Amino acid sequence: LVVLGIVVLMTWLASHLDESRYDRICAIEYKSLIALQFVNDGGKLVYYNLELFEGTPDHPLNRFENVLFLKRLEREMIARTSRVVVPSQARARIFARLNQFPEDRLLLLPVSSIGPAVRERTTFFRTRFGIAAADFVVVYAGNVDAWSRILEVIRSVSSWPPGFTLVIHAWNAAVLKTPYGRSLVREARGRPIHFSTEYLDHRTLGEALASADVGVMFYEPIDANFTEIPLSSNKLSEYLRCALPVVCSDFPSLRDFVLEHDIGVPVQAMEQLPDALRACASRLEALRGNAVRCHEALFRFEPYFAALRQALGV
């Protein structure tokens, strides 16, 4: 199915994309890069790599066939690109090693958000789900999959302090109809947990997240794509944009980043989550201020993109 989807995308792009109209053609992720095989001027191609696609047959996230074939196609296309863009210097070193690509042809564009921080608190989730104004709202916003450890977060809610509520923003209702999604709904019954499944645009997402108090972000340590995460996590960028401290996985780079900027609490085990939430609640205003400062200093898209355009000469 993945190969078929790439072929469909390639066919559509080949009939709609006029190379002569563009100075640069940017592919986001390996599927779109492979779909641009018809592009004649490789000097125009720029590849924004976000997932560190390893393409090994024994990788635990491989759910489709032909993974080695797809990785070979990606490497062939990488060799044709003028520049590759990655979110951080650490990921640049990993990408260069995985793909035998010269580091001096790599550019940086952290996963960041457009516009200033959302400083004002809202009542979006509280109004929608009837959550008391005095309750402490913990939010998860992102992909619903086993690697995000949402099931473990849900199971920990029974040990949370009274008045603490979890909101899971899952982007769309379909994700809760998968076997994993159904297991989340079953486990959440009888607990102070709410599922948000409406698609929210960027502005509305900010309004929604600004009604929470803390954001959670956990990852299975599958590979470097999941553990080398500080500047490549859309969750972290959006949480900080909305002045939310974070409770997160205790991976070395993520732990160091969170502690350096004093924006939350890393935990080594899910059993520590209730205490971490209490710690955030006890100094919430200070953490919120740190989150805003961190966002403004490190997660504003505009200056990063301006520097990228200058490096690309466009």
Side-chain angles (χ1 to χ4, degrees), residues 44 54 56 63 65 75 100 112 114 130 135 179 186 188 283 287 293 298 309:
K44 289 187 175 183
E54 292 192 10
T56 55
R63 298 174 183 171
E65 298 178 358
R75 282 204 179 110
Q100 295 80 55
S112 43
I114 295 174
D135 280 6
R186 285 195 304 270
R283 52 190 300 263
L287 291 172
R293 283 186 285 275
L298 297 174
R309 288 188 61 185

Side-chain angles (χ1 to χ4, degrees), residues 112-117 294-305:
S112 43
S113 53
I114 295 174
C294 185
H295 171 265
E296 295 300 288
L298 297 174
F299 290 92
R300 285 294 296 270
F301 177 80
E302 296 89 341
Y304 286 125
F305 191 63

Side-chain angles (χ1 to χ4, degrees), residues 17-37:
L17 182 62
D18 180 359
E19 292 180 49
S20 64
R21 296 181 55 194
Y22 302 100
D23 296 311
R24 295 288 186 275
I25 300 171
C26 184
I28 310 294
E29 282 314 317
Y30 75 90
K31 297 170 192 173
S32 60
L33 180 67
I34 294 171
L36 289 171
Q37 291 190 53

Side-chain angles (χ1 to χ4, degrees), residues 80-283:
R80 289 179 51 197
T81 59
S82 61
R83 305 297 285 269
V84 172
V85 183
V86 292
S88 69
Q89 193 61 56
R91 289 174 82 97
R93 290 190 292 270
I94 298 167
F95 180 90
R97 173 179 54 80
L98 286 174
N99 299 286
Q100 295 80 55
F101 192 82
E103 284 194 51
D104 60 5
R105 287 173 57 196
L106 291 168
L107 300 173
L108 300 183
L109 178 62
V111 174
S112 43
S113 53
I114 295 174
V118 181
R119 299 169 186 264
E120 297 298 320
R121 298 294 89 195
T122 74
T123 61
F124 188 97
F125 284 139
R126 297 173 189 274
T127 300
R128 179 152 301 190
F129 298 118
I131 301 171
D135 280 6
F136 191 89
V137 177
V138 181
V139 68
Y140 171 85
N143 291 316
V144 172
D145 212 324
W147 56 257
S148 60
R149 304 196 66 194
I150 308 172
L151 184 59
E152 291 89 337
V153 173
I154 287 175
R155 287 171 174 164
S156 79
V157 170
S158 298
S159 302
W160 290 11
F164 279 54
T165 297
L166 174 64
V167 174
I168 298 170
H169 179 56
W171 309 113
N172 66 78
V175 298
L176 297 183
K177 300 184 186 305
T178 66
Y180 185 73
R182 289 195 295 269
S183 73
L184 301 183
V185 174
R186 285 195 304 270
E187 198 72 29
R189 289 184 187 128
R191 294 180 166 128
I193 298 171
H194 306 276
F195 290 93
S196 167
T197 57
E198 176 188 357
Y199 171 77
L200 303 177
D201 61 27
H202 186 254
R203 182 190 63 79
T204 310
L205 177 63
E207 181 186 353
L209 293 180
S211 66
D213 296 297
V214 165
V216 292
M217 49 180 291
F218 293 99
Y219 303 89
E220 288 289 346
I222 293 169
D223 59 16
N225 185 56
F226 292 88
T227 59
E228 188 50 60
I229 205 73
L231 294 175
S232 61
S233 169
N234 191 58
K235 277 191 285 292
L236 181 58
S237 174
E238 290 299 328
Y239 289 163
L240 297 180
R241 180 174 79 93
C242 297
L244 296 185
V246 297
V247 178
C248 61
S249 299
D250 190 49
F251 306 143
S253 61
L254 182 57
R255 176 185 64 236
D256 292 349
F257 186 88
V258 168
L259 295 180
E260 176 186 354
H261 298 283
D262 193 16
I263 54 173
V265 180
V267 297
Q268 295 180 343
M270 203 60 71
E271 292 77 14
Q272 298 171 331
L273 179 54
D275 286 340
L277 294 175
R278 288 188 187 92
C280 288
S282 70
R283 52 190 300 263

